[in-house]
Amino acid sequence: MPTLKPMLLLIGVVAGFAMMPAAQPQDDGVQPYFWPHRSIGIPVDVKRIGELPNKPTDLQLYYAVNRGAFQKGSKLPLNNMQQLEGGKRGFLFSADRDGDFEFTVQFVYSDGSVSPRADELTPQQRIVIDTTPPLVKIYPSNNGVEWVATDDNLDARGITLQCKWPTSTEWSTVTDRAFRATDRFAWQLQPGKVLEVRLLSRDRAGNEGLSPIVRIPPDGATGVGFPRPSAAGQEWLGGAGSNLPQARIDYVNTLKFDVDYSIQRMGRSGIQAAHLFSLRDQGKWEAVKRFPMQLNASDKEQTLSLPFEAKDDGTYGFYVIPESGAGRRAEDPKREDTPMVYVVVDTKAPYVKITGVQVKPGGTRGPLVEVTWESADPNLMPQPISLEWSPDKSATKWNEMKYRLDNNLTKTTGRFTWEVPDEKVWKFWVRARSVDKASNTGEFIWPQEVMVDLEQPSASIERVRGGNAPPVTPPTSPPGGSSGGGDPPGGGSETPPRIPNSGPPGLPKVPDAAGGNG
């Protein structure tokens, strides 16, 4: 009678189902799959079971819900299993609710015996049935939004923020950073501009939840005290290359930096101080410091800088409240108030490594060099990879292979093929650099010098010098082929004839051996 151990190999899942995202295995070692339907096809290897020395006549399906006790499901003859998608055969199971389902199959034999026994059953397949899309709530605040997405099986990578102008029909996805289930985001809107925003959330079973569309600012009003975006790196901010507003996120690679802000409006008493507030990674607002200053209403320069020192890397939000000369100021920011600017402090260089360099023939101008790499960083610049070459490994200046490359294979890997343009170059070193939005640069040099000379040298013997054979003076012929002196037409010497080699028989014929002991 077959034992449980080999029988565990005979139960599977349908092909389309097997591609669903899976979570980490639980204590019992069974990896769960997530499925968005109540109907599940569970195929079994009928052919393999039929080849067992003592094959069963029937298969009994058992299932357990939410880690409970096993219950009997369908019992089907081995030669009459249900037809499933993809030409497979097995059990078609229908659940009456969502939940965490475990499945196993028991062999039933012609004499009534079974394997394994009911008290020996263990799960062979675990399927989380989830037909409910995530619940998404979104709230507008000033020039940004905040949201909460909830679901029992929420996919941490499935949060997508989109925006568009009210007159547009095309939604643009915000790609400045990865978003969490509970998060917020702000834009830099020009006065009078209104933006429509929505959020999509996906769970591990592939269900998608969509938030209502909100408009920001909610009442069309504009704020005061907006910070002035730094000039560095603006081409990489959100909305670059389109007419959507730029995301108000700055990136710095040092713990000490200045927060620039501008006064949009002041009274006749001027400004006597500025209060700086910060929050860390969506935490609570904290007062940083009150900065005394003297700014009159007649002053033309109304942009100031407040110094700040971060404790470590992370995302910081900032809010500035000016205080008038008369002592009037707005209330401290509340938890629901969106930061005037986000600053991502990133002092670590991106990870980058060349994983392979292959030289191939076939280019129109020269050999081809294929470089593969991997690079990762939470804040990678768009097109972060630069490939370079140099004949000197310690050179301070390298030559371009190709700049501004994406990870084009996966999110963290890429490939590029370079044709060597210079015929004089036959060996060199290869370097990869990766840059993040804070201008940190990671670097990796391929440890072996790359040789691109793929030609195999060849040679031919022209003549042999030395030996005892007397020199042979080749005859010359005058024009027309008659004997006598003179040069052939063209003024050159006639090519000497080829003569047999004077060595032992069997050697190949070679050109005349000139020279000797005359």
Side-chain angles (χ1 to χ4, degrees):
M1 183 177 297
T3 61
L4 176 62
K5 186 174 182 180
M7 192 269 286
L8 290 176
L9 302 174
L10 306 177
I11 181 173
V13 291
V14 295
F17 173 76
M19 294 187 294
M20 297 305 296
Q24 295 298 318
Q26 302 298 314
D27 295 338
D28 57 14
V30 180
Q31 184 179 15
Y33 291 87
F34 295 84
W35 190 239
H37 308 292
R38 297 281 177 88
S39 243
I40 310 165
I42 305 175
V44 294
D45 195 337
V46 175
K47 180 180 179 182
R48 185 173 176 185
I49 297 174
E51 294 172 351
L52 292 174
N54 185 18
K55 70 177 182 180
T57 57
D58 301 275
L59 299 182
Q60 175 67 60
L61 179 68
Y62 281 84
Y63 68 94
V65 184
N66 297 330
R67 301 304 182 93
F70 276 108
Q71 308 172 49
K72 280 189 176 182
S74 302
K75 178 182 177 182
L76 297 175
L78 179 62
N79 60 4
N80 193 25
M81 303 298 292
Q82 291 173 297
Q83 185 72 41
L84 305 179
E85 184 180 353
K88 298 181 181 295
R89 291 189 174 273
F91 295 93
L92 184 60
F93 179 82
S94 294
D96 58 357
R97 55 174 168 162
D98 289 5
D100 190 340
F101 287 77
E102 293 171 315
F103 298 91
T104 191
V105 171
Q106 182 186 63
F107 288 179
V108 182
Y109 298 92
S110 57
D111 60 0
S113 59
V114 297
S115 176
R117 299 193 311 267
D119 58 352
E120 295 176 334
L121 294 173
T122 57
Q124 297 174 325
Q125 188 62 256
R126 182 177 170 210
I127 302 169
V128 177
I129 298 177
D130 181 1
T131 62
T132 306
L135 177 64
V136 186
K137 297 181 179 179
I138 190 169
Y139 308 95
S141 58
N142 296 333
N143 280 359
V145 291
E146 53 185 307
W147 62 84
V148 177
T150 55
D151 190 272
D152 291 339
N153 305 303
L154 193 66
D155 185 351
R157 301 166 300 177
I159 305 297
T160 302
L161 182 64
Q162 295 182 324
C163 61
K164 71 178 184 68
W165 299 118
T167 56
S168 174
T169 58
E170 297 292 332
W171 289 92
S172 296
T173 299
V174 179
T175 59
D176 291 78
R177 62 180 175 90
F179 296 111
R180 296 172 292 183
T182 302
D183 211 336
R184 62 179 68 178
F185 193 79
W187 288 264
Q188 182 181 356
L189 285 174
Q190 298 296 325
K193 289 288 187 179
V194 176
L195 196 66
E196 292 185 343
V197 182
R198 71 180 184 183
L199 188 84
L200 293 83
S201 179
R202 185 181 65 249
D203 63 24
R204 295 182 181 182
N207 301 299
E208 281 195 343
L210 180 63
S211 76
I213 298 174
V214 297
R215 287 193 172 193
I216 59 168
D219 58 357
T222 57
V224 296
F226 283 7
R228 174 174 57 86
S230 63
Q234 284 199 40
E235 63 273 27
W236 305 115
L237 295 178
S242 73
N243 61 350
L244 289 173
Q246 294 182 340
R248 293 171 42 227
I249 302 177
D250 287 340
Y251 296 83
V252 298
N253 59 11
T254 176
L255 297 178
K256 294 182 178 181
F257 55 91
D258 292 333
V259 177
D260 293 345
Y261 76 101
S262 60
I263 301 297
Q264 300 291 315
R265 184 174 64 238
M266 72 173 74
R268 62 184 66 186
S269 64
I271 302 295
Q272 67 174 357
H275 299 258
L276 179 64
F277 296 83
S278 72
L279 59 81
R280 168 70 188 277
D281 295 333
Q282 312 302 325
K284 297 181 179 179
W285 284 108
E286 296 181 357
V288 176
K289 186 178 178 181
R290 178 183 183 271
F291 293 88
M293 61 185 60
Q294 190 63 44
L295 191 63
N296 298 321
S298 59
D299 291 336
K300 295 182 179 180
E301 180 57 57
Q302 297 180 352
T303 300
L304 305 169
S305 296
L306 304 180
F308 180 80
E309 182 174 359
K311 294 181 179 180
D312 48 29
D313 286 10
T315 301
Y316 295 78
F318 293 95
Y319 205 100
V320 175
I321 297 179
E323 179 183 332
S324 72
R328 298 182 61 84
R329 48 158 291 194
E331 295 181 354
D332 291 355
K334 300 179 176 59
R335 184 176 182 84
E336 63 271 14
D337 288 331
T338 303
M340 292 178 174
V341 68
Y342 285 104
V343 176
V344 177
V345 179
D346 182 358
T347 62
K348 299 177 178 61
Y351 164 77
V352 61
K353 180 181 180 180
I354 297 176
T355 55
V357 176
Q358 291 186 341
V359 180
K360 304 176 182 179
T364 57
R365 293 181 297 173
L368 302 177
V369 180
E370 181 183 273
V371 182
T372 56
W373 68 86
E374 55 188 17
S375 180
D377 189 272
N379 306 307
L380 271 184
M381 188 86 82
Q383 299 176 317
I385 305 299
S386 293
L387 298 179
E388 299 170 308
W389 69 274
S390 172
D392 182 5
K393 186 177 182 180
S394 59
T396 56
K397 184 177 180 180
W398 289 56
N399 304 298
E400 176 185 356
M401 272 187 174
K402 185 66 175 178
Y403 293 153
R404 297 172 65 91
L405 288 169
D406 281 314
N407 287 334
N408 50 30
L409 293 180
T410 68
K411 189 176 181 181
T412 58
T413 61
R415 178 193 297 127
F416 178 74
T417 301
W418 178 60
E419 185 175 3
V420 182
D422 191 342
E423 294 182 355
K424 298 179 181 179
V425 174
W426 64 275
K427 64 176 182 177
F428 50 84
W429 298 89
V430 177
R431 180 174 76 173
R433 293 186 297 119
S434 181
V435 183
D436 63 20
K437 294 180 180 179
S439 298
N440 299 299
T441 303
E443 179 181 304
F444 183 89
I445 298 177
W446 182 246
Q448 291 87 34
E449 197 169 13
V450 179
M451 307 290 182
V452 295
D453 184 1
L454 302 180
E455 297 292 333
Q456 180 175 330
S458 63
S460 63
I461 299 176
E462 298 295 334
R463 59 182 176 175
V464 177
R465 293 180 178 272
N468 296 321
V472 177
T473 303
T476 59
S477 299
S482 61
S483 62
D487 294 329
S493 299
E494 189 177 13
T495 303
R498 302 173 66 88
I499 61 174
N501 186 54
S502 59
L507 290 179
K509 295 181 179 181
V510 297
D512 175 30
N517 296 323

